[in-house]
Amino acid sequence: MSVDARIARGGVLGLWAGFFLVLWVSGTSDRYLGPRTQWIVPFGAVVLALATIAYAYGFVRTRRAGPTLTLREATSLFALLVPLAAVSLVPHAALGSFAASRKGGIGFAFVRPHAPAKPSDASFLDIRIAEGDSGFADQAGIEPGLSVRLVGFVTGSKDVPPGTFELARFYIACCIADAEAVGVPVAGHGPEPNTWLEVEGALTRRGKRFVVVPDKVTQVRAPKQPYLSFQT
Amino acid sequence: MDRTLAVPARGEPAWLRLRRAWETTTVSEAACGRLLGLFVLLVIVVSAAGLAHGAAAQTFLLIFSSIVIEALPFILVGALASAAIAVFLPERAFGAIARLPLALQLPGAALGGFAFPVCECGSVPVARRLIARGVHPSAGVTFMLASPVINPVVLASTWVAYGGHLRGGEMVAGRASLGLLAAAAAGLAIGRRSGADLLRPRATQHAEYEHGPGSAAFSSHLVSDFLFMGKFIVLGAAVSALVQATVPQSLIAKLGGTPVLAALSLMAVAYVLSLCSEADAFIAASFTSFSPGAQLAFLVLGPIADMKLSVLYGATFRGWFVPRLLLATVPLIVASSLAFGWVIR
């Protein structure tokens, strides 16, 4: 007996509606989307759910037989299930040192975040911008000797001053596809890449770069929200 | 599975016979259940074997799923608008628009982007529907390419990304004007043919819309458009994620030796990254080793053509659409971005 294509279409639509509802209710959408696009999840959940209900209502009201599911359409519908399978394969994963080697190594001269409330609250992005923008550095109070506290992962990047290792966080604007790794060198020998550390210490200049000379390095668990955002 | 309808013509090539079988073979309930079971089993095996836990695989899966999660609701918005146009707008309205001279349709379509603030994924089904209902193909293509560049949300994010008064005004003006110019040029170059010559006919099953009460027809159009476009977004996202997970971004960024090469390099980056036009300004602004002109080229090409869009265009328009789109826009964007860089230096 062949399958009514409308049931298969409605089923896939319903799965996507359910997935967006789960993302919304569980609050896990920030593992994929930035703060600018968080609204997409409740919007998608509501509209997809309404579309599923409307489609199901239309199916129930239409008494005549619908089109049968062909191999071609079945393939298309299975393709739409692949992203759901992808999410289920890496439910708690986050971009790490491998991704940093692919999505990093660029500058941030025009991205101007608000200066931190206190100089000691300076983030990875603030410190990187202050390296090339003396106006921002003055405004934010980022200078050699400043005490900072940074939580990030070790990248294994070689693009750091000798005798340092890179601690980094990913910054995102809309979604992980636009993520950029922003790293700050820390004096000393770092542990294995992807290790999360809390580093407290003072900034010093080595050439063009600010380097953290640590007073205290503590291995920590990855934070619930591993990404920071380009909030400017 | 049941083979139906397919009567192979004598001397037909094997690939055509396979294609016909793929399009006409119906799937039985038992076969559908077995395929679903196989799919779930495959996911369980991949998970249990740890194949998805390698760094490269994780990076690919995360980027892939995030692009799809971000893009699908915009596809849904486009499908909503497309279904509303198909069901609720009377035929005479399109007849009136179609009778307008192209000189009026084109700027109207270009500026229509202000009224439709969604990213590039959402504008494709709307443009398809407009062209199918009689709007001049040039105007439809111009609308599709202009709306993701000149909509207010995109321009506001560009202004913010470039530090507002620091360089925001110049980049917003450059992006809006070059975006409009490129969209109109592509519309004129590509849309000279009839709608039927431009649009790729859909497979039969997707055209089987419900006819009846407005609400049933609307939901049928909505779901058909959403599922049709959705699968191409999935494919495009997979290609983009694969490239992002394998090719270091800095490798492409190092290519920008001369102004022309710099613009072309950043356009290649924009094509590969497949970013949402509401976010791409933050990435463009971070390419500080490139001139503002090259960054503008990145900002204008990205919403017009990227990997995921190329797959979507390939499904919506004829095969020649993407090459001609690139031919019509890339030289114009390179030349204009160089001129922009020279003016603001």
Side-chain angles (χ1 to χ4, degrees):
Chain A
M1 197 173 157
S2 56
V3 179
D4 189 324
R6 293 171 302 174
I7 296 175
R9 293 173 198 164
V12 170
L13 197 66
L15 277 174
W16 270 102
F19 172 69
F20 271 89
L21 280 168
V22 169
L23 273 185
W24 185 16
V25 172
S26 64
T28 48
S29 56
D30 53 10
R31 298 190 82 88
Y32 306 96
L33 302 174
R36 268 168 213 284
T37 44
Q38 285 296 321
W39 62 271
I40 284 175
V41 172
F43 170 80
V46 170
V47 180
L48 279 166
L50 288 176
T52 308
I53 291 166
Y55 196 65
Y57 179 69
F59 172 72
V60 171
R61 279 191 60 185
T62 311
R63 289 170 192 272
R64 64 183 169 79
T68 52
L69 184 69
T70 62
L71 200 53
R72 177 190 177 124
E73 186 168 9
T75 314
S76 304
L77 294 177
F78 271 109
L80 278 163
L81 298 182
V82 171
L84 302 180
V87 170
S88 71
L89 284 171
V90 284
H92 307 295
L95 297 180
S97 65
F98 176 83
S101 71
R102 299 290 184 272
K103 296 172 72 60
I106 52 180
F108 296 92
F110 290 124
V111 178
R112 302 261 311 196
H114 298 297
K118 290 182 291 180
S120 57
D121 291 342
S123 69
F124 289 87
L125 188 61
D126 297 323
I127 295 169
R128 284 301 302 275
I129 292 169
E131 284 175 354
D133 184 341
S134 57
F136 178 79
D138 292 343
Q139 186 192 351
I142 297 171
E143 57 188 6
L146 175 70
S147 293
V148 291
R149 177 185 156 275
L150 298 171
V151 176
F153 62 91
V154 178
T155 67
S157 168
K158 303 277 184 262
D159 191 21
V160 286
T164 68
F165 66 94
E166 188 181 57
L167 196 70
R169 286 293 279 270
F170 274 102
Y171 281 72
I172 60 177
C174 272
C175 75
I176 291 176
D178 61 48
E180 289 292 338
V182 182
V184 170
V186 178
H189 294 288
E192 287 294 300
N194 287 326
T195 309
W196 281 82
L197 299 177
E198 180 180 322
V199 173
E200 291 177 54
L203 289 181
T204 183
R205 275 275 189 188
R206 288 205 192 160
K208 291 179 180 175
R209 303 294 306 267
F210 274 119
V211 172
V212 181
V213 178
D215 299 322
K216 188 179 169 193
V217 177
T218 316
Q219 189 168 335
V220 294
R221 297 181 68 173
K224 194 169 169 239
Q225 171 49 278
Y227 310 119
L228 301 173
S229 75
F230 283 118
Q231 282 181 322
T232 53
Chain B
M1 291 180 213
D2 311 315
R3 183 72 55 83
T4 58
L5 299 174
V7 181
R10 190 170 286 179
E12 197 175 43
W15 69 269
L16 259 181
R17 283 205 300 276
L18 271 175
R19 183 176 170 177
R20 195 190 299 276
W22 184 55
E23 286 174 353
T24 55
T25 301
T26 57
V27 182
S28 67
E29 282 179 0
C32 195
R34 279 197 292 271
L35 282 174
L36 202 57
L38 193 67
F39 183 76
V40 173
L41 186 69
L42 192 67
V43 173
I44 292 170
V45 167
V46 169
S47 178
L51 295 177
H53 295 148
Q58 269 191 5
T59 302
F60 166 79
L61 290 171
L62 284 167
I63 295 172
F64 166 61
S65 47
S66 79
I67 293 177
V68 176
I69 289 169
E70 191 191 26
L72 272 188
F74 287 106
I75 288 282
L76 192 63
V77 172
L80 275 168
S82 168
I85 290 167
V87 178
F88 299 121
L89 281 186
E91 204 66 53
R92 63 178 182 279
F94 291 94
I97 295 171
R99 281 193 296 276
L100 288 173
L102 186 57
L104 279 180
Q105 282 193 49
L106 209 63
L111 295 172
F114 278 112
F116 194 64
V118 296
C119 299
E120 54 277 17
C121 309
S123 67
V124 179
V126 178
R128 187 187 195 286
R129 183 72 60 195
L130 289 172
I131 295 168
R133 303 238 14 211
V135 170
H136 195 287
S138 290
V141 170
T142 301
F143 166 80
M144 180 180 79
L145 301 178
S147 61
V149 181
I150 66 160
N151 84 60
V153 181
V154 171
L155 295 183
S157 74
T158 307
W159 195 80
V160 170
Y162 279 89
H165 297 296
L166 191 69
R167 184 149 268 173
E170 295 158 350
M171 294 306 286
V172 166
R175 188 174 196 186
S177 50
L178 184 51
L180 280 173
L181 187 67
L188 281 173
I190 293 168
R192 291 172 184 272
R193 296 163 180 243
S194 69
D197 286 341
L198 181 65
L199 297 175
R200 182 185 287 276
R202 284 200 190 174
T204 319
Q205 66 269 23
H206 291 294
E208 284 166 347
Y209 300 120
E210 297 289 338
H211 297 286
S215 58
F218 179 78
S219 66
S220 174
H221 274 283
L222 169 65
V223 171
S224 288
D225 276 358
F226 174 73
L227 296 179
F228 178 77
M229 299 286 174
K231 62 178 182 276
F232 293 106
I233 283 295
V234 169
L235 182 60
V239 175
S240 173
L242 186 66
V243 174
Q244 287 197 52
T246 50
V247 181
Q249 199 167 281
S250 53
L251 200 71
I252 307 173
K254 278 175 187 161
L255 297 174
T258 66
V260 174
L261 271 181
L264 286 171
S265 304
L266 281 198
M267 287 162 85
V269 172
Y271 189 84
V272 167
L273 289 183
S274 303
L275 300 176
C276 170
S277 62
E278 289 176 11
D280 58 2
F282 293 92
I283 303 306
S286 67
F287 289 114
T288 52
S289 54
F290 288 82
S291 68
Q295 291 174 27
L296 183 69
F298 175 97
L299 288 173
V300 175
L301 183 82
I304 287 177
D306 62 35
M307 276 189 169
K308 74 173 183 327
L309 276 176
S310 294
V311 177
L312 198 54
Y313 291 153
T316 308
F317 302 106
R318 302 277 183 184
W320 48 262
F321 182 88
V322 174
R324 287 195 191 179
L325 174 68
L326 293 174
L327 271 177
T329 53
V330 169
L332 177 72
I333 294 171
V334 170
S336 305
S337 62
L338 290 178
F340 173 83
W342 184 79
V343 168
I344 68 157
R345 72 182 173 178

